[in-house]
């Protein structure tokens, strides 16, 4: 069965991109998608937006804040009082959680939002130290640029990069990419598309507009043979997949 990827964790019931949202997703056998960006002092944290305004009680650009300043912020109260005091996690805190609770073949999808000095080595070394390279896929700035994929490959040839295919017409070029082992498919793939990708020795993340938020489309992707499903509604998707299994 395809692995469900909980986009920013279980963010329908928990504050997004927090350890509180990640732990239950991992415990249910899902992978998690996380957003990685650098602070002013070049520490890697997990946050989607370039500012802390939307999901914390603070203000300002992440790039202008030190890790110490970021760690003083409350990243849970905006969601509900139940999560008051929840902090923005660092990359390494998140990797420790994945190591402890991840049970799927693919546990982690890392979306790189920024490329700060030394970040590639930090990501690769952090994953290697925790034996997570084989269960992690990189997207974001990674899937957008062959040069970035090359740099991650140089950081570790075992780091799994994805390259994007927005349409079926882009699939041949995506498969030919020398630095990727995954296709980040942002359209509804047919069974024959999936067979072509698998025949080339690569795997698939089913995603994209009208798919991530559409459980019926994700179930169709699973039936076509996609390896993983990026979902906005992972828990309801899990129930639907179990009924169709």
């Amino acid at each position: 069965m395809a692995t469900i990827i909980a986009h920013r964790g279980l963010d329908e019931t928990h504050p997004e991109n927090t350890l509180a949202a990640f732990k239950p997703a991992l415990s249910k056998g899902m992978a998690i998608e996380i957003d990685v960006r650098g602070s002013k002092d070049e520490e890697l944290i997990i946050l989607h937006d370039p500012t802390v305004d939307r999901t914390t009680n603070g203000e300002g650009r992440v790039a202008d804040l030190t890790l110490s300043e970021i760690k003083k912020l409350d990243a849970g109260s905006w969601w509900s009082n139940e999560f008051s005091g929840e902090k923005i996690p660092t990359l390494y805190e998140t990797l420790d959680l994945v190591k402890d609770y991840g049970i799927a073949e693919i546990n982690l999808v890392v979306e790189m939002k920024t490329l700060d000095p030394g970040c590639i080595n930090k990501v690769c070394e952090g994953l290697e130290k925790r034996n997570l390279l084989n269960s992690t896929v990189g997207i974001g700035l990674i899937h957008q640029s062959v040069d970035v994929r090359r740099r991650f490959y140089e950081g570790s040839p075992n780091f799994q990069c994805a390259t994007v295919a927005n349409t079926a017409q882009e699939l041949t070029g995506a498969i030919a990419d020398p630095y990727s082992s995954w296709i980040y498919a942002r359209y509804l793939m047919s069974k024959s598309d999936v067979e072509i990708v698998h025949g080339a020795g690569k795997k698939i993340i089913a995603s994209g507009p009208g798919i991530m938020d559409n459980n019926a489309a994700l179930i169709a992707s699973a039936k076509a043979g996609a390896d993983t499903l990026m979902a906005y509604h992972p828990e309801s998707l899990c129930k639907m997949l179990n009924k169709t299994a």
Side-chain angles (χ1 to χ4, degrees):
M1 182 181 292
T3 297
I4 296 172
I5 303 166
H7 184 260
R8 306 183 202 171
L10 295 186
D11 66 351
E12 293 181 289
T13 52
H14 300 73
E16 67 178 62
N17 271 326
T18 62
L19 299 183
F22 297 151
K23 182 178 176 180
L26 293 165
S27 299
K28 292 174 185 289
M30 300 176 186
I32 56 170
E33 181 265 354
I34 65 174
D35 299 294
V36 179
R37 60 175 66 251
S39 65
K40 181 179 180 180
D41 47 353
E42 298 176 3
E43 298 289 340
L44 298 179
I45 67 158
I46 311 303
L47 194 75
H48 177 270
D49 298 0
T51 73
V52 300
D53 300 33
R54 180 174 65 87
T55 58
T56 79
N57 62 342
E59 296 180 348
R61 296 173 65 245
V62 174
D64 295 333
L65 298 171
T66 65
L67 179 61
S68 177
E69 291 169 327
I70 290 167
K71 278 297 187 180
K72 293 176 183 177
L73 302 177
D74 184 328
S77 293
W78 70 278
W79 182 260
S80 77
N81 289 334
E82 177 186 355
F83 299 104
S84 177
E86 191 70 26
K87 302 300 182 183
I88 294 174
T90 65
L91 173 65
Y92 291 161
E93 288 169 342
T94 304
L95 296 187
D96 286 338
L97 190 78
V98 173
K99 182 178 184 297
D100 289 341
Y101 291 95
I103 57 177
E105 183 176 354
I106 292 298
N107 289 314
L108 182 63
V109 177
V110 175
E111 177 157 345
M112 296 301 298
K113 291 295 189 182
T114 61
L115 285 177
D116 301 83
C119 73
I120 292 176
N121 285 337
K122 291 176 184 176
V123 171
C124 292
E125 290 171 3
L127 291 168
E128 184 173 14
K129 180 180 179 181
R130 296 163 179 83
N131 296 315
L132 293 175
L133 280 168
N134 290 335
S135 61
T136 300
V137 184
I139 61 171
L141 294 176
I142 294 170
H143 77 250
Q144 298 171 17
S145 168
V146 66
D147 180 62
V148 173
R149 292 191 291 277
R150 175 188 58 78
R151 290 169 60 190
F152 268 89
Y153 179 83
E154 291 171 352
S156 172
N158 294 318
F159 184 89
Q160 299 183 80
C161 293
T163 190
V164 68
N166 292 293
T167 65
Q169 289 70 36
E170 295 180 4
L171 193 56
T172 299
I175 290 171
D177 179 82
Y179 301 112
S180 60
S181 52
W182 285 76
I183 304 299
Y184 186 49
R186 293 178 58 80
Y187 73 98
L188 187 58
M189 300 187 84
S190 67
K191 186 174 182 180
S192 61
D193 287 344
V194 172
E195 289 173 348
I196 290 169
V197 172
H198 287 166
K202 300 192 176 188
K203 295 182 178 181
I204 296 161
I205 300 173
S207 183
I211 298 173
M212 295 172 65
D213 60 344
N214 184 340
N215 283 348
L218 288 169
I219 290 172
S221 299
K223 289 180 177 179
D227 302 277
T228 63
L229 312 169
M230 184 88 78
Y232 282 159
H233 311 295
E235 291 188 286
S236 60
L237 175 62
C238 184
K239 292 177 183 177
M240 293 173 69
L241 281 173
N242 287 335
K243 288 181 180 179
T244 60

